[in-house]
Amino acid sequence: MDEEKIIQRVPSRDSIGKQAAHVPEIDYAAEKKLVRKLDLRIIPLFMLLYLFSFLDRVNIGNARLYGLEEDLGLEENQYQIAVSILFVTYLLSEVPSNLVLKKFTPSRWISFIATSWGIIATLTGITQNYAGLIVCRLLLGLVEGGLFPGATVYLTLFYTKRELALRVGYLFISAAIAGAVGGLLAYGIGFMDGVAGQSGWRWILIIEGLPSVVVGIATWFLLADDPETAFYLSSEEKHLIKIRRARQLGQTASAQEFHKADVYAAFKDWKVYAFCVGQFGTDTMLYGYSTFLPTIIKGLGTWTTAETQALTIPCYTLGALSYVLMAQLSDIQQRRGLYTVIFGAISVIGYGILVSDASTGVHYLGCFLVAMGLNADLNYFSAALSLASEQPTSVRKKDHSDRVANHRRKYIGYHGAFCEFSLRVFISGHAVTLAMVGMANVIFAFMSWYLSRQNDRRKRGEEDAKFANMAEDEIAELGDKSPRFVYTI
């Protein structure tokens, strides 16, 4: 690679009429090759980690059909409590886990939590009573909570802001795949009911927990801690990553440091709370549907347990394919809000069918429509707040705002699932979820309009006068208040 070519400088657009800033020129062919290599080395591992994490989190729904409640003597709402209590420790562990991630190395910390949740998920299969189940769920949430925020932070070390949405989207694709894989595995493992004198639900939890242990151990050796220690990158490729980072608008030395002001800014930003409320609605759908789909389908007809598990697979498969399509289109066009609203509306229609007085076949169709929009809304928060930013302050604020949103949406969303399925009759629960997803769609549509309006104002220079007397380095630290800031919506 010709380093002389890489370090040449060309002027960038100066949106407020000041002297143009200079950014390094880049070899785009080499950059394209680098991104392909990163995708092959990083993304499959994180997809596997998130797939098994999601599977171990929600497979209690599949296990329920094979006698879990009867064997453990669960009464009234104890099953719902066991399902939802995981997110108490899940949300409490997110921020501490990211702080530990920065103290230790990503390879060791992510390896530790993955191996730990695999062991806990496996041992859940031998629990003997309600108290043991609750302890296992609390411990599972404690170690699983650090994966998604840790993965998001890790990806920022290698990818630019505009590349992140699709890569974060791959994690949600793996969650959709986990649903299909979970149904398929539960269908097969269910035939082990009675083997060695153990119920089918025990074998489901034991067998599905073991792969996490294997992948967790492998992570120790396969995951690089940062670009500088990435054994699969050449010195030229490591230098190219530095150039890519330098080319991002407003990347200053201060941008790489922790600032308390950014934490406060995240907590005071109304947009964070707007997305929190939106995620409130979509996560009610995500975890309610993912955990209880086998129970929902079981209630639609007189199928056997094995047939019920098999009927979940097409729903999740369509959901995964729909999300792949949405992620590709939105990444190519750099438009997030449009597809979020479209697919969210499809889910609303699906829930409308589920609450209607229709035949079993039509209700099953509703399950497919819900699945199509199941993961579409989830990437909008990251896309709008993480990818929107090419400014350092907003990058730091985004890290904290992600945590704020995760804290609020995880517990509230799962609490919604708990309320939804506390009754055997699902009509009221489906109606509540329909309303929640509809609310989220309205919020995301409004935020898309608002952020688009902000982009237009800045493009027309209507806010330039506010910053006319500011120095370049001061403008670079303004984050999303800068007239150069552009939201990807």
Side-chain angles (χ1 to χ4, degrees):
M1 182 179 297
D2 187 355
E3 288 200 14
E4 292 298 319
K5 180 179 180 181
I6 292 178
I7 61 175
Q8 290 179 1
R9 298 190 175 271
V10 296
S12 66
R13 180 178 64 86
D14 187 342
S15 63
I16 61 172
K18 287 186 175 289
Q19 183 178 359
H22 290 80
V23 296
E25 189 176 280
I26 199 167
D27 184 336
Y28 291 104
E31 182 184 34
K32 187 176 181 179
K33 182 179 178 181
L34 171 65
V35 173
R36 282 199 303 267
K37 177 180 281 191
L38 294 176
D39 285 343
L40 290 174
R41 290 286 187 168
I42 297 174
I43 301 304
L45 179 59
F46 274 108
M47 286 187 69
L48 277 178
L49 286 167
Y50 197 70
L51 185 153
F52 290 126
S53 169
F54 195 86
L55 183 63
D56 292 338
R57 199 181 314 154
V58 303
N59 62 6
I60 190 173
N62 297 108
R64 183 186 194 184
L65 300 186
Y66 288 94
L68 180 147
E69 291 177 286
E70 293 79 6
D71 286 358
L72 299 185
L74 304 187
E75 301 175 354
E76 298 180 348
N77 62 354
Q78 288 183 336
Y79 172 79
Q80 283 78 13
I81 293 174
V83 168
S84 60
I85 202 169
L86 173 145
F87 275 84
V88 175
T89 48
Y90 191 106
L91 70 89
L92 290 175
S93 68
E94 287 183 319
V95 171
S97 180
N98 261 17
L99 296 176
V100 173
L101 180 73
K102 295 177 181 180
K103 293 293 183 182
F104 297 96
T105 58
S107 62
R108 284 157 176 73
W109 181 245
I110 294 177
S111 173
F112 168 75
I113 61 175
T115 304
S116 298
W117 87 57
I119 293 172
I120 294 167
T122 302
L123 294 180
T124 304
I126 64 173
T127 189
Q128 299 298 316
N129 51 46
Y130 174 62
L133 180 62
I134 291 296
V135 170
C136 287
R137 296 290 291 178
L138 286 171
L139 291 176
L140 187 62
L142 183 67
V143 291
E144 280 199 351
L147 177 63
F148 186 79
T152 304
V153 170
Y154 183 84
L155 292 176
T156 63
L157 300 177
F158 294 86
Y159 292 99
T160 65
K161 303 301 171 293
R162 292 180 67 85
E163 294 166 347
L164 271 177
L166 184 60
R167 277 71 194 180
V168 173
Y170 288 141
L171 300 183
F172 294 121
I173 291 172
S174 65
I177 294 173
V181 170
L184 182 61
L185 288 175
Y187 173 79
I189 298 172
F191 290 106
M192 296 179 64
D193 190 26
V195 173
Q198 302 299 319
S199 299
W201 71 267
R202 295 188 183 276
W203 288 116
I204 289 173
L205 297 181
I206 291 170
I207 293 176
E208 292 184 2
L210 290 174
S212 295
V213 179
V214 176
V215 176
I217 294 172
T219 299
W220 183 288
F221 304 99
L222 298 178
L223 190 66
D225 294 320
D226 53 48
E228 289 300 316
T229 60
F231 59 88
Y232 49 83
L233 294 178
S234 66
S235 58
E236 290 83 4
E237 288 169 331
K238 292 176 182 179
H239 180 69
L240 183 55
I241 287 179
K242 292 181 180 179
I243 297 297
R244 278 157 49 86
R245 181 177 298 172
R247 283 172 60 86
Q248 296 184 80
L249 181 61
Q251 284 293 321
T252 63
S254 176
Q256 313 306 322
E257 300 172 358
F258 176 85
H259 297 276
K260 291 183 178 179
D262 300 320
V263 180
Y264 299 142
F267 277 96
K268 292 187 293 184
D269 190 341
W270 69 269
K271 297 188 294 296
V272 173
Y273 292 95
F275 281 113
C276 284
V277 176
Q279 289 298 108
F280 175 104
T282 57
D283 272 15
T284 298
M285 171 175 64
L286 173 66
Y287 291 107
Y289 185 92
S290 300
T291 305
F292 293 97
L293 180 61
T295 306
I296 295 171
I297 292 179
K298 182 77 171 179
L300 295 181
T302 57
W303 298 294
T304 66
T305 298
E307 289 171 339
T308 300
Q309 299 289 7
L311 287 170
T312 66
I313 299 171
C315 297
Y316 285 118
T317 301
L318 178 62
L321 293 175
S322 297
Y323 186 77
V324 170
L325 174 63
M326 189 276 290
Q328 292 289 345
L329 289 175
S330 65
D331 188 67
I332 292 172
Q333 299 178 8
Q334 289 294 299
R335 300 185 68 177
R336 318 296 177 189
L338 173 65
Y339 294 104
T340 296
V341 173
I342 289 174
F343 281 87
I346 293 174
S347 287
V348 169
I349 295 171
Y351 274 110
I353 292 174
L354 287 174
V355 300
S356 67
D357 183 14
S359 66
T360 296
V362 175
H363 280 153
Y364 187 49
L365 171 64
C367 293
F368 279 93
L369 296 179
V370 172
M372 289 183 67
L374 187 63
N375 296 285
D377 288 357
L378 300 178
N379 199 27
Y380 192 45
F381 177 82
S382 295
L385 286 186
S386 93
L387 290 213
S389 171
E390 293 186 357
Q391 295 277 36
T393 301
S394 290
V395 173
R396 298 189 305 254
K397 189 170 77 173
K398 175 264 172 185
D399 184 29
H400 304 301
S401 62
D402 271 348
R403 298 174 193 174
V404 174
N406 282 336
H407 269 55
R408 282 152 179 77
R409 71 184 177 91
K410 284 292 188 340
Y411 175 70
I412 297 174
Y414 220 88
H415 181 67
F418 164 75
C419 294
E420 176 178 347
F421 293 96
S422 60
L423 298 175
R424 291 289 178 176
V425 179
F426 301 132
I427 299 300
S428 60
H430 290 322
V432 170
T433 308
L434 186 157
M436 298 294 283
V437 179
M439 173 197 69
N441 242 29
V442 171
I443 291 173
F444 292 146
F446 169 77
M447 293 303 296
S448 296
W449 169 81
Y450 174 80
L451 298 177
S452 178
R453 181 171 175 268
Q454 291 297 105
N455 285 346
D456 291 341
R457 285 176 54 85
R458 291 168 182 179
K459 185 177 180 179
R460 292 192 298 266
E462 294 181 14
E463 298 186 10
D464 291 356
K466 300 178 183 178
F467 311 98
N469 297 321
M470 296 184 67
E472 288 293 319
D473 56 346
E474 294 176 312
I475 294 173
E477 289 292 329
L478 288 176
D480 57 352
K481 297 183 182 300
S482 168
R484 300 177 182 176
F485 187 96
V486 178
Y487 291 99
T488 302
I489 53 175

